[in-house]
Amino acid sequence: MDGEDLRLAVYRAFAGTGRAPDTGELAAQFGVGASEVTAGLAELAQGRHLALGGQGQILMAHPFSAVPLGFSVMGARTLWWGGCAWDSFALPHLLSDEDDVLVATRCPACGRPHAWNVSRHHPPDGGQAAHFLVPAARMWDDVVHTCAHQRLFCSGDCVDAWLAATGSARGYVMDLATLWRPAAHWYDGRLEHGYVRREPSQAASYLRGVGLAGSFWGL
Ligand SMILES: [Zn+2]
Ligand SMILES: [Zn+2]
């Protein structure tokens, strides 16, 4: 079983069904034993293609998530957990069968519901504010925690209220268009065979090219 074939099987299952395949399904698909799948998934996690839970189960294959992190993403026939704010805005760019998706969340500060039609053509309207807590250099220390703290708030005032209430240091605040632009092509190629992660220098130039700046991003 080739590692890239396994990666693609996980991504295609997420894209098609909204959920992660389990080890048994993958073993049956490839005609191999469960232990071979488990080892293959661990190797993909090592390469930061997946995030696994304590039992080796798939938690995330960015931008897809098997666990709720504050966002739902509704397509014409399929419902996904959205991962973080960035991942939720990225999904319509990866799901070419969907014209747009409905991204919904609650403001972490005040609980107000928010929803946007998000397409790959232009940023959604709205005056809400995105706040990312964990700086880029530490995002993979615990990537599920990182994604759980990349959220959308009513406004900068609700970001401030949440930071005060949780005793958190301010991370990076963006408007919806500034969030949508980097999300648009960050995950390009993940549903195709032969995907290669960007080198750090390529990642930096991508982020600069979409208008991000500063030490939070390592730029
Ligand atoms: Zn709020
Ligand atoms: Zn994320």
Side-chain angles (χ1 to χ4, degrees):
M1 182 187 55
D2 177 65
E4 174 62 2
D5 290 342
L6 179 62
R7 187 197 67 77
L8 200 54
V10 171
Y11 267 84
R12 292 206 168 143
F14 259 126
T17 69
R19 63 176 199 87
D22 64 29
T23 305
E25 288 169 308
L26 291 165
Q29 185 175 340
F30 287 98
V32 301
S35 61
E36 197 175 326
V37 170
T38 304
L41 293 177
E43 199 165 313
L44 289 171
Q46 202 69 34
R48 297 183 174 179
H49 294 289
L50 304 175
L52 301 180
Q55 315 301 317
Q57 77 278 25
I58 298 165
L59 299 181
M60 301 190 76
H62 288 80
F64 298 105
S65 179
V67 291
L69 295 169
F71 291 87
S72 62
V73 177
M74 189 175 75
R77 275 172 295 277
T78 309
L79 186 62
W80 294 270
W81 288 123
C84 64
W86 174 299
D87 299 335
S88 297
F89 275 33
L91 277 173
H93 300 275
L94 220 51
L95 301 166
S96 49
D97 290 346
E98 303 284 349
D99 282 340
D100 59 15
V101 294
L102 179 69
V103 173
T105 193
R106 281 196 192 99
C107 172
C110 73
R112 180 175 303 209
H114 295 281
W116 307 263
N117 292 320
V118 182
S119 79
R120 53 190 155 272
H121 308 300
H122 49 78
D125 290 331
Q128 295 91 345
H131 176 258
F132 283 22
L133 183 66
V134 180
R138 299 209 313 270
M139 280 179 180
W140 275 88
D141 292 359
D142 179 348
V143 76
V144 177
H145 171 271
T146 297
C147 279
H149 294 84
Q150 299 186 160
R151 298 293 300 268
L152 282 158
F153 294 74
C154 302
S155 62
D157 287 349
C158 273
V159 174
D160 291 340
W162 183 85
L163 292 172
T166 59
S168 303
R170 189 181 193 77
Y172 195 86
V173 177
M174 290 169 271
D175 63 20
L176 295 185
T178 308
L179 172 66
W180 182 88
R181 273 195 305 272
H185 295 291
W186 183 249
Y187 296 117
D188 279 5
R190 292 202 182 197
L191 281 168
E192 287 143 42
H193 199 276
Y195 172 73
V196 181
R197 289 184 65 87
R198 286 186 186 85
E199 296 296 324
S201 63
Q202 296 170 309
S205 73
Y206 174 89
L207 296 175
R208 263 190 227 101
V210 292
L212 297 178
S215 60
F216 182 91
W217 297 103
L219 301 172

